[in-house]
Amino acid sequence: MTRRTGKRSADETSRTTGGASTRDVPAGAEQAPDAPGPEVGAAEPDEVERIVAEWRAERPGLDPGSIAVLGRVNRCGLLVRNLSNRLYDEYSINQSIFDVLAALRRMGPPYRKTARELAASSLLTSGGMTMRLDRMERDGLIRRVRSTDDRRSVFAELTPAGFALIDRIIDVHLERERQMLDTLTAEEQEELARLLRKLEHRLRELS
């Protein structure tokens, strides 16, 4: 009689395990976790991240980290302007006119500033502001008023039509800005505002 050894043949093992290899994990045994896949809901790299990665691949010694910040600042600025322009188009004005109307409205009665004061707050030259005010005067949104103290000084003053227009626009404008920011918490918005203020201060130092 042929004596059986304690070791089963590979064929026997295959038959008793339903064709599974001896290396298969026995039923009920804990399996090793799979290699982690991409995080569910993780954002795909955006254009700025791709640009940074491409520079790092092509120029390993180069530090393109500034692109991750300033590239986004530039892109966000363009997107904000495009979204805001849709509102201005509804009222047949542009960003420049909105800025002047808002600056005069914030002053309180009699809602006036000189061209020089308006230019300083908008980073424009006095000449550029004068051209802007010419158009607004033709449209009936402002009028020019000479100072009683210095006849050489001329104020741009809101007309009733300009006052009514900015009061109609500002509520919608601020609501749309809130929609732009609603992905950020209140704390994140405060922190972002603080960092952007710091960045703007540095840029003004360099300009």
Side-chain angles (χ1 to χ4, degrees):
M1 182 172 70
T2 305
R3 216 174 143 188
R4 295 175 62 89
T5 65
K7 181 188 285 185
R8 292 187 296 179
S9 69
D11 287 343
E12 282 184 287
T13 302
S14 177
R15 286 194 299 272
T16 58
T17 60
S21 163
T22 54
R23 292 191 299 270
D24 287 347
V25 178
E30 183 178 353
Q31 297 187 22
D34 294 334
E39 182 182 348
V40 176
E44 291 292 325
D46 64 13
E47 185 62 23
V48 172
E49 289 167 331
R50 284 192 288 270
I51 291 171
V52 171
E54 287 166 359
W55 274 120
R56 284 177 173 155
E58 289 298 311
R59 292 282 305 277
L62 195 68
D63 179 12
S66 61
I67 298 174
V69 178
L70 297 179
R72 294 191 192 286
V73 169
N74 286 330
R75 287 168 181 266
C76 285
L78 290 172
L79 290 168
V80 169
R81 176 160 294 187
N82 290 339
L83 290 168
S84 297
N85 283 341
R86 296 179 189 175
L87 173 63
Y88 304 144
D89 289 344
E90 294 174 20
Y91 292 89
S92 300
I93 64 171
N94 57 33
Q95 175 81 53
S96 301
I97 292 175
F98 173 84
D99 288 344
V100 173
L101 291 174
L104 295 176
R105 179 64 177 88
R106 293 194 306 267
M107 289 301 295
Y111 310 108
R112 58 171 61 165
K113 276 187 170 185
T114 65
R116 185 184 299 275
E117 290 169 337
L118 289 167
S121 63
S122 62
L123 301 180
L124 278 180
T125 64
S126 294
M129 180 56 66
T130 297
M131 294 176 61
R132 184 180 299 182
L133 294 176
D134 287 344
R135 175 186 167 180
M136 296 180 68
E137 188 172 32
R138 288 194 303 270
D139 292 342
L141 300 175
I142 62 109
R143 59 173 165 256
R144 285 182 165 99
V145 180
R146 288 198 175 275
S147 170
T148 56
D149 299 324
D150 182 356
R151 299 296 294 174
R152 294 170 301 177
S153 183
V154 179
F155 292 100
E157 181 179 291
L158 274 182
T159 63
F163 184 95
L165 179 58
I166 187 59
D167 267 19
R168 285 200 307 273
I169 296 176
I170 191 62
D171 291 327
V172 183
H173 175 76
L174 293 179
E175 175 57 30
R176 292 194 181 182
E177 287 193 336
R178 283 189 288 271
Q179 291 174 5
M180 296 179 200
L181 295 172
D182 64 9
T183 189
L184 303 175
T185 66
E187 291 77 14
E188 288 172 334
Q189 291 182 35
E190 290 177 4
E191 178 66 5
L192 180 58
R194 184 187 68 80
L195 293 173
L196 288 174
R197 181 181 185 277
K198 185 176 182 180
L199 175 60
E200 181 182 357
H201 179 74
R202 176 56 178 161
L203 296 177
R204 287 180 181 275
E205 286 181 342
L206 295 173
S207 52

